[in-house]
Every structure is written in structure tokens, then in C-alpha cells.
Amino acid sequence: QVQLVESGGGLVQAGDSLRLSCAGSGRTFSPYGMGWFRQTPGKEREFVAAITSRSSYTYYADSVKGRFTISRDNAKNTVYLQMNSLKPEDTAVYYCARGAVSGRVADYDYWGQGTQVTVSS
């Protein structure tokens, strides 16, 4: 069974930084692209960032470009999301997912349980 577990969320002030981690089990990682999405109550899950299996390419939503950085360590079966210059509008539950590198929820087949990020103004 594939398991993805996010960590690193929390409550921060605007302008602060956080680093989210997503740890995968077994052979869940290295052959696959990975993505980060986020969701707020009443809204659809939205794409944040994605990375190819060997970190050759990264993709970002316009809303986070220049502030967030996705990376991965296949030896540790872990993908990261470094979030700098956080804004209140970044407040959401953040999910990592495994799948094709795209901005579409439907292209990812396994999801973590999510970690809450709250940015106060």
C-alpha cells in the first residue's frame, strides 16, 4: 500500500517561512512525479507545485512562483515544499500527491492526509 505523510505545517505570521515535507513508503517515489496541492473550505483543491521524478523540471502555480520551491530526495523518499514570504492567502491544507507532473488533481493517484498551514496577518 502506498502511503504519503505530510508534516511541517503550522501557524506563522505573514512574511515568515515554512518547509513542508512529504515522506513516502517503499517504492512509491523515485519513478514518479510528485506534486503539492492546497485546499481551503468550500473551494476546490488547487495546484501549487510539481516536480519530475529526477528533479529535472519543476512547475509552479503563478500565485506561488518566486516564493515557493519544490524539491525531492529520492534516497529519503521525501519531497519538500519550501515556502517563503508567506501571505494570509496561502492559508490552506496542503497535500502531497504522486502521479503525472501536471496541475490537474485527476492526474495524481495517491494522496497524503494533508497538513494545515495558517498564515496570520
Side-chain angles (χ1 to χ4, degrees):
Q1 181 70 15
V2 175
Q3 287 191 327
L4 301 172
V5 180
E6 302 96 336
S7 62
L11 172 62
V12 297
Q13 293 187 332
D16 286 350
S17 298
L18 275 178
R19 188 176 81 155
L20 305 183
S21 299
C22 172
S25 59
R27 294 175 289 177
T28 60
F29 248 73
S30 54
Y32 300 96
M34 297 295 297
W36 285 96
F37 288 74
R38 65 188 182 187
Q39 190 170 22
T40 54
K43 293 188 177 181
E44 293 187 351
R45 197 164 293 189
E46 67 169 355
F47 171 73
V48 175
I51 188 168
T52 53
S53 59
R54 297 186 179 184
S55 305
S56 300
Y57 297 98
T58 56
Y59 303 92
Y60 298 93
D62 288 343
S63 58
V64 306
K65 203 171 292 183
R67 299 188 298 121
F68 290 12
T69 302
I70 188 171
S71 62
R72 65 190 295 164
D73 184 341
N74 287 340
K76 296 182 179 180
N77 281 354
T78 302
V79 64
Y80 304 97
L81 185 68
Q82 177 67 44
M83 305 186 295
N84 298 330
S85 302
L86 282 160
K87 304 175 181 180
E89 51 263 44
D90 294 319
T91 296
V93 177
Y94 284 71
Y95 299 89
C96 70
R98 187 197 82 169
V101 178
S102 85
R104 300 195 320 148
V105 169
D107 288 336
Y108 294 81
D109 55 0
Y110 288 98
W111 294 80
Q113 83 290 347
T115 185
Q116 176 71 46
V117 172
T118 303
V119 184
S120 64
S121 57

